[in-house]
Amino acid sequence: MDLNIRHLGLQAYADCLAGMKRFTSERSEDQIDELWMVQHPPVFTLGKAARMQHLLDAQGIPVLAAERGGQITYHGPGQVIAYVMLDLARRGLMVRELVHLLEQSCLDLLCAWGIAAQRRNGAPGVYLSGGQKIAALGLKVTRSRCYHGIALNVAMDLSPFQQIDPCGYPGLEVADMQSCLGYALDCEQVEKEFAARIAGSLASHDSRQRPLR
């Protein structure tokens, strides 16, 4: 099944959210799914389950409501985000399967870079073996069509995470790939690799869904 991959660069969160909502509400039955790779200027976003007590001190960083699941998180330059606009019913893909697919794509990418990571039961996203969170995940599904996605910390200023309880967990430590590896990373390279991993995982799922002849 086809997938359009768009590399959008640095985009304001509000503009990107409006675009995802518009694409999802206006898409036709046969419109090709899309994967948007993007970074945002500094912003805190509040998921549907977010509580304001987890915002400790915004310090001038914008705070915006999102329609995705989950709690509060931070987006900023150097964080590579993959937004998935998929027709789940057409792909025969359940939400739980999609979460697993996105997490696995991230785990495979990190493994290729020599970074050991894992899932955590009951807490979507990807974590280092020491417990630090390196990727956050949140989705919105309406009429079997989804948007939002997964955000991977690549090479960013992590200090704003100290101004919140990340994902609603007080004291949760956050890491990025660059701090794990100890040298500078090219975010564009990681972005292309991440997009390829997600596209490949979706293609593998699609091939398993095809009926045998």
Side-chain angles (χ1 to χ4, degrees):
M1 194 171 295
D2 291 335
L3 179 71
N4 282 337
I5 302 176
R6 303 185 186 275
H7 295 271
L8 302 178
L10 189 68
Q11 295 276 334
Y13 182 83
D15 293 342
C16 204
L17 177 59
M20 288 192 291
K21 292 171 64 175
R22 184 167 55 251
F23 176 87
T24 302
S25 64
E26 297 178 359
R27 64 180 299 175
S28 62
E29 292 293 330
D30 57 354
Q31 190 160 352
I32 295 173
D33 290 338
E34 297 203 351
L35 172 62
W36 293 3
M37 306 301 298
V38 64
Q39 297 181 44
H40 295 311
V43 62
F44 294 119
T45 64
L46 306 171
K48 291 174 64 177
R51 298 180 180 179
M52 289 305 298
Q53 64 259 36
H54 295 304
L55 176 63
L56 307 180
D57 186 355
Q59 295 184 17
I61 295 176
V63 181
L64 299 177
E67 296 182 330
R68 59 167 174 79
Q71 297 270 351
I72 186 170
T73 194
Y74 169 73
H75 301 301
Q79 181 189 68
V80 170
I81 305 173
Y83 287 134
V84 287
M85 269 72 71
L86 307 178
D87 186 328
L88 300 179
R90 186 171 62 188
R91 287 184 178 269
L93 188 60
M94 303 296 291
V95 175
R96 190 169 297 179
E97 289 179 294
L98 176 58
V99 169
H100 187 276
L101 182 153
L102 293 174
E103 290 174 339
Q104 191 61 52
S105 298
C106 186
L107 289 167
D108 291 344
L109 172 68
L110 292 171
C111 182
W113 280 87
I115 299 173
Q118 59 195 12
R119 294 181 177 86
R120 179 180 291 180
N121 289 336
V126 175
Y127 300 80
L128 301 181
S129 56
Q132 305 95 325
K133 193 165 192 175
I134 195 168
L137 189 153
L139 297 169
K140 167 68 175 179
V141 180
T142 177
R143 295 179 299 174
S144 295
R145 294 168 177 175
C146 75
Y147 57 101
H148 289 288
I150 185 168
L152 172 63
N153 303 336
V154 179
M156 62 187 303
D157 176 9
L158 296 171
S159 61
F161 283 104
Q162 299 175 12
Q163 299 164 219
I164 61 174
D165 296 326
C167 304
Y169 291 97
L172 177 64
E173 295 184 15
V174 178
D176 63 3
M177 293 177 64
Q178 185 164 277
S179 63
C180 292
L181 296 171
Y183 57 83
L185 290 180
D186 182 344
C187 283
E188 290 186 6
Q189 177 186 354
V190 175
E191 179 181 302
K192 290 175 182 177
E193 293 181 15
F194 198 17
R197 294 275 180 184
I198 295 172
S201 295
L202 286 169
S204 294
H205 175 271
D206 293 342
S207 66
R208 294 194 298 271
Q209 294 297 112
R210 295 192 187 110
L212 297 175
R213 295 182 178 180

